[in-house]
Amino acid sequence: MTQCQHAWKMTNAQYGFTVFERCSHCHGVRTYYAAQDTWDEYREGGCTWSIVENAQTLRFDLECEKCQQQVDFKDLMGLMYCTSCMEDCEVECAQKALAPQKTWILAAFGFLPHAPETEISAARLEILTDYFNQRRDTSRSRVKILPFSLIKQVSLCHGELIHDIGMLSPEPFPERKPLF
Amino acid sequence: MKIQELIQNLGLKPLSRFEDRDISGVFISDMMSDAMANAKSGNLWITVQTHKSIIPAANLVDVAAVIITSGKTVPQDTVELADRHAIALLSTDQPTFDLIGKLYGLGIATS
């Protein structure tokens, strides 16, 4: 039996919001996907959660056009582009190593706070990498998607998260606040 | 048509260093998530969005160039990121509608 040379396409795309919220008591941060824009503050146990930011986003699955295998990516919060901000960060090391081959590195984030324990598997990140490379002219350049756990210190990372922040504001958005 | 030829034809202002390449069509959106889902390799991405995260989004989906319309001021950090990754970042004072009409006249449409 021959193994399928997968040809991935995006399917089940749903546009919505990634909600970033913070507790004013424990200072915990959590994120989740919501179909609607929401700015409600609410209490849960000893925590009071307030919205820090809503980013328009989409969630999706990938499906192979040849064998119809479907891969769920609903736990993907977003992709962060490595801007080479920390010299001894593993993501930056990968960026430096692969730059001569014109391969650009992105880090895949799951939703917080559970992302570190339920990290998107290497096999699924390979599929996501394949999907975006299949959409591009790989004779010019490629992308590679790594787990965000390779980032040395997320709170100090200046990588660029690909999210639509401030899109619903009638005023120009001056500067992004740190999200983590 | 290539990017340099387009710049000459439409009087676009190049803001970054880039490698010239063929253009395969047009994608219009101000949302990065929309570009991630729907832009195609070699497209011109036309937008009024100037935040630097347009550059990683453009690079992820391999668009040929990003054109900022309506004379929007492009922040320096956006230009620097485009420069670093050799993404063609162009600007024009023309509104999106007018630019689209001219692109259509040149035979460049959605792909």
Side-chain angles (χ1 to χ4, degrees):
Chain A
M1 190 171 128
T2 55
Q3 207 171 5
C4 180
Q5 300 294 307
H6 296 299
W8 299 108
K9 66 171 183 182
M10 191 178 282
T11 186
N12 301 329
Q14 294 174 285
Y15 287 89
F17 297 84
T18 298
V19 180
F20 296 78
E21 59 183 20
R22 189 185 302 272
C23 171
S24 54
H25 297 294
C26 72
H27 304 294
V29 174
R30 64 185 188 186
T31 62
Y32 56 90
Y33 173 87
Q36 303 288 330
D37 185 28
T38 175
W39 289 93
D40 295 338
E41 182 177 291
Y42 62 96
R43 288 186 179 178
E44 191 181 78
C47 290
T48 302
W49 294 100
S50 305
I51 307 293
V52 177
E53 194 55 77
N54 279 353
Q56 281 181 278
T57 187
L58 86 159
R59 62 179 185 175
F60 57 88
D61 301 324
L62 295 180
E63 181 181 336
C64 174
E65 292 178 290
K66 295 177 183 171
C67 71
Q68 280 71 54
Q69 180 189 345
Q70 270 205 20
V71 185
D72 187 324
F73 281 97
K74 291 192 177 59
D75 54 345
L76 175 69
M77 184 185 80
L79 297 173
M80 182 183 267
Y81 199 67
C82 176
T83 53
S84 303
C85 62
M86 277 184 281
E87 275 192 5
D88 45 356
C89 169
E90 282 188 63
V91 176
E92 176 166 349
C93 291
Q95 179 66 86
K96 278 182 181 158
L98 293 173
Q101 298 151 45
K102 290 199 172 178
T103 297
W104 311 116
I105 302 292
L106 296 108
F109 277 75
F111 290 96
L112 301 172
H114 304 297
E117 298 96 58
T118 57
E119 195 165 78
I120 300 169
S121 69
R124 284 198 300 144
L125 292 184
E126 197 66 38
I127 288 169
L128 197 59
T129 296
D130 287 347
Y131 165 68
F132 281 110
N133 281 326
Q134 285 169 7
R135 281 177 58 179
R136 62 193 298 127
D137 174 3
T138 50
S139 67
R140 298 175 55 84
S141 63
R142 304 178 72 87
V143 294
K144 184 164 182 61
I145 300 171
L146 298 174
F148 82 99
S149 59
L150 295 181
I151 297 172
K152 187 186 175 195
Q153 202 170 341
V154 173
S155 59
L156 297 179
C157 177
H158 292 161
E160 201 51 50
L161 198 59
I162 306 176
H163 267 170
D164 291 301
I165 290 175
M167 294 295 291
L168 299 179
S169 169
E171 302 298 324
F173 202 74
E175 187 51 64
R176 288 185 176 190
K177 293 169 277 188
L179 294 171
F180 302 111
Chain B
M1 184 179 289
K2 287 184 182 282
I3 299 168
Q4 286 290 6
E5 195 180 347
L6 186 78
I7 290 170
Q8 299 298 323
N9 272 317
L10 298 182
L12 304 173
K13 183 179 173 191
L15 302 177
S16 63
R17 290 181 293 108
F18 63 90
E19 292 172 19
D20 205 10
R21 63 182 286 191
D22 287 317
I23 295 161
S24 66
V26 181
F27 176 77
I28 309 159
S29 179
D30 297 326
M31 290 178 63
M32 282 157 268
S33 46
D34 196 16
M36 277 175 68
N38 298 310
K40 296 189 175 89
S41 177
N43 277 178
L44 292 172
W45 178 11
I46 298 174
T47 181
V48 291
Q49 179 68 263
T50 59
H51 191 275
K52 63 182 173 184
S53 59
I54 59 172
I55 302 304
N59 198 12
L60 178 64
V61 294
D62 195 31
V63 299
V66 181
I67 306 179
I68 311 291
T69 57
S70 304
K72 294 273 180 186
T73 304
V74 181
Q76 190 55 33
D77 55 1
T78 304
V79 175
E80 284 168 9
L81 200 55
D83 247 347
R84 191 191 305 174
H85 297 294
I87 303 284
L89 182 62
L90 315 173
S91 75
T92 177
D93 289 336
Q94 300 170 68
T96 299
F97 185 84
D98 293 5
L99 181 67
I100 296 304
K102 289 175 184 172
L103 288 168
Y104 192 80
L106 290 171
I108 303 169
T110 52
S111 60

